[in-house]
Amino acid sequence: MPDQPQPLTPDQVNAIVRDMDDPRYPTRITVFCDHCGTEHTGEYMVREGMASRERLAVARKYLVDSEGWEHTDDGDDFCPTHASRSTQ
C-alpha cells in the first residue's frame, strides 16, 4: 500500500494495522488555524522515527494540497477562510 497523503478511512487504518510487515502506523494529527483557531484533525500514516515536526508536515501537506489551507515559512497555518489573509 503506498503512502497516503490524506486522512485515512477507518477501513484503511484497520488494514494497515493488521499488516505486521508495514512499517507505517496511523497517528492522529490536529492542525490549528493561527487566525481563528479552527482545527482540522485526521489520521495520517507516519513511519517510526519521524520527528514530531515531520509528522506535522504530513498533515500540513495534505491540508495545503487538498483542503485550501495555507502554511507559511515561519510556521503559521491558516484555514481556507483565512488563507488569503496570511500575506497581508
Side-chain angles (χ1 to χ4, degrees):
M1 183 180 264
D3 286 333
Q4 299 285 329
Q6 70 267 356
L8 300 170
T9 67
D11 289 338
Q12 289 171 317
V13 171
N14 287 335
I16 292 166
V17 170
R18 285 192 297 265
D19 181 355
M20 299 309 288
D21 294 324
D22 196 317
R24 300 170 298 153
Y25 61 93
T27 187
R28 182 166 289 191
I29 301 172
T30 300
V31 177
F32 296 89
C33 175
D34 289 315
H35 182 78
C36 69
T38 294
E39 60 184 69
H40 184 280
T41 300
E43 288 193 355
Y44 300 87
M45 294 308 294
V46 298
R47 295 185 183 282
E48 186 174 341
M50 287 179 89
S52 177
R53 185 176 298 221
E54 293 170 310
R55 293 190 306 265
L56 182 56
V58 171
R60 283 175 164 158
K61 178 171 177 23
Y62 168 74
L63 292 174
V64 169
D65 291 349
S66 304
E67 299 290 328
W69 282 62
E70 185 173 297
H71 173 69
T72 64
D73 290 340
D74 55 353
D76 291 331
D77 298 295
F78 298 97
C79 69
T81 301
H82 298 103
S84 62
R85 295 182 187 181
S86 67
T87 57
Q88 295 179 354

